[in-house]
Amino acid sequence: MKLKTTKRIFCMLSCLLVCALLSCTALAGEAEWSLSYDEETLTYATYTFTLYEPFFPVQLVGDVVYRNNYALDDYRSVDANAEHSPTYAAIYEQLYVTEAGGEALDRLMEGEASSYMLMTQYGACAPISRELVTKLTQPEKGAETRTFDVRDLEDKVYYTLLGVESYGYYGCAYGAVYMYAGEFYYIHYMDLGNQYFDAYGNFSYRRGTVEAVKLNVDFIPALVNVERDATYRPLEYIDVGDSGSSGAHGNSDLSSSRSAFTTGMVVFGFLIPTPLLIVGLTFPRSEKRGYPKYWYILAGIAALWMLLSALLMAIVL
């Protein structure tokens, strides 16, 4: 009976050794990007991205892009909104989204923005309150309107209203404020039909007429106050992946990965088997403990465990 119990213990310890080594190997590995043959699906670790074609053009409003240099087999790079748990990824002009990212962009395309930004004619941006957006996009009944030839408005854009999705990474032009003959007019793009946009989803100035709402003089100072807070937001690219290892950020990422691997190896490869090694060398000398042969085997397993861990660390590091 004792022999069967001892065998079960050794079996469990062997399984634990295998699991520990597999865990350490997983810590040493790097997640890779993979693109399907039809380029419809992009995968990274446990994340799956699908090709997304927005109805309206989107633009980056986030602060940081994580560039995975030469991440694909054909040496193309992948840009993502996060390093380890991305929601969006891009390969050149192709946009890929997770399920959650696709839902966020769908809501944005339908006019359900999570927040808003006002972009000046010079490209500076500032947050704008939902209250001001409501006043801008939902004018009071009886508000004065004017019909314009779209060709007369092309160089008259003064502010662009951007809707921003819930992750704060992509924005979409919801409308624009035009200054014409010293007066301000607003056109809400989301209320217009397809004929007002070009093949890329941008408001078209080629031909036709459009109705614009004249902004009340009392409302202009509120927009000016928002403009005063507008700043130019330089986009920071952080290199990760193969070529990023030579840069400052790449060195930081590599150091973090090595640190995590080393910590895991110390725990799984040395701390766990140490008590087993002590027990295996101590119990055979006790008269109350039987089967000294099996205790020595336990010590041997623990020693082998630690040896394999040390070899793995030497190979990886």
Side-chain angles (χ1 to χ4, degrees):
M1 188 68 176
K2 291 184 178 180
L3 184 59
K4 290 183 178 180
T5 302
T6 305
K7 288 183 176 180
R8 289 176 182 175
I9 292 175
F10 285 126
C11 182
M12 292 174 62
L13 291 174
S14 300
C15 292
L16 183 59
L17 171 61
V18 173
C19 291
L21 291 176
L22 290 177
S23 299
C24 293
T25 305
L27 286 170
E30 293 289 340
E32 296 181 352
W33 292 89
S34 178
L35 184 63
S36 64
Y37 181 77
D38 59 6
E39 299 197 354
E40 294 285 334
T41 304
L42 181 68
T43 57
Y44 172 74
T46 60
Y47 298 92
T48 300
F49 303 79
T50 55
L51 184 64
Y52 187 90
E53 297 180 0
F55 181 78
F56 295 105
V58 294
Q59 62 184 76
L60 278 171
V61 296
D63 298 320
V64 179
V65 174
Y66 292 88
R67 173 154 292 174
N68 299 269
N69 289 290
Y70 314 118
L72 301 178
D73 292 338
D74 57 5
Y75 299 105
R76 281 184 290 176
S77 299
V78 178
D79 291 341
N81 68 313
E83 182 178 1
H84 299 298
S85 54
T87 306
Y88 303 112
I91 304 173
Y92 297 129
E93 300 300 321
Q94 293 179 305
L95 172 61
Y96 294 84
V97 300
T98 61
E99 183 178 356
E103 292 174 352
L105 286 180
D106 285 343
R107 291 192 296 271
L108 183 67
M109 298 294 108
E110 294 169 0
E112 300 177 14
S114 179
S115 60
Y116 298 89
M117 300 179 69
L118 195 69
M119 184 171 67
T120 71
Q121 57 185 325
Y122 304 109
C125 293
I128 182 172
S129 68
R130 191 174 292 272
E131 180 183 0
L132 284 180
V133 171
T134 300
K135 291 181 179 180
L136 190 63
T137 60
Q138 300 177 18
E140 298 178 357
K141 292 182 179 180
E144 184 179 346
T145 61
R146 179 171 177 175
T147 300
F148 289 95
D149 187 311
V150 293
R151 291 171 293 185
D152 296 333
L153 297 175
E154 186 169 7
D155 59 347
K156 302 295 191 300
V157 177
Y158 204 79
Y159 301 112
T160 300
L161 176 65
L162 298 175
V164 181
E165 46 80 33
S166 56
Y167 291 93
Y169 192 71
Y170 281 116
C172 173
Y174 272 17
V177 174
Y178 295 83
M179 187 173 72
Y180 189 88
E183 297 178 320
F184 291 90
Y185 297 85
Y186 178 75
I187 299 175
H188 194 52
Y189 297 157
M190 307 303 287
D191 292 339
L192 302 179
N194 293 342
Q195 70 273 20
Y196 288 93
F197 302 92
D198 61 22
Y200 301 99
N202 296 299
F203 184 75
S204 176
Y205 297 98
R206 293 187 61 186
R207 60 178 180 272
T209 59
V210 65
E211 187 176 85
V213 178
K214 183 179 179 180
L215 298 183
N216 191 300
V217 177
D218 298 334
F219 184 61
I220 304 304
L223 292 180
V224 174
N225 288 335
V226 174
E227 182 183 4
R228 288 174 182 169
D229 296 329
T231 58
Y232 295 96
R233 306 174 64 181
L235 191 60
E236 180 184 6
Y237 283 86
I238 297 180
D239 291 335
V240 295
D242 294 338
S243 65
S245 60
S246 61
H249 294 290
N251 287 333
S252 175
D253 296 334
L254 182 59
S255 177
S256 298
S257 299
R258 286 179 173 175
S259 177
F261 172 72
T262 302
T263 301
M265 285 300 302
V266 169
V267 173
F268 288 107
F270 297 99
L271 294 183
I272 291 179
T274 297
L276 303 181
L277 180 63
I278 295 174
V279 169
L281 295 176
T282 303
F283 278 21
R285 300 179 182 181
S286 173
E287 296 180 357
K288 298 180 179 180
R289 305 291 180 180
Y291 305 102
K293 171 184 173 182
Y294 295 107
W295 295 118
Y296 284 125
I297 292 176
L298 175 61
I301 291 176
L304 178 62
W305 185 334
M306 299 172 73
L307 176 62
L308 292 177
S309 299
L311 290 175
L312 183 59
M313 288 186 68
I315 293 172
V316 174
L317 301 178

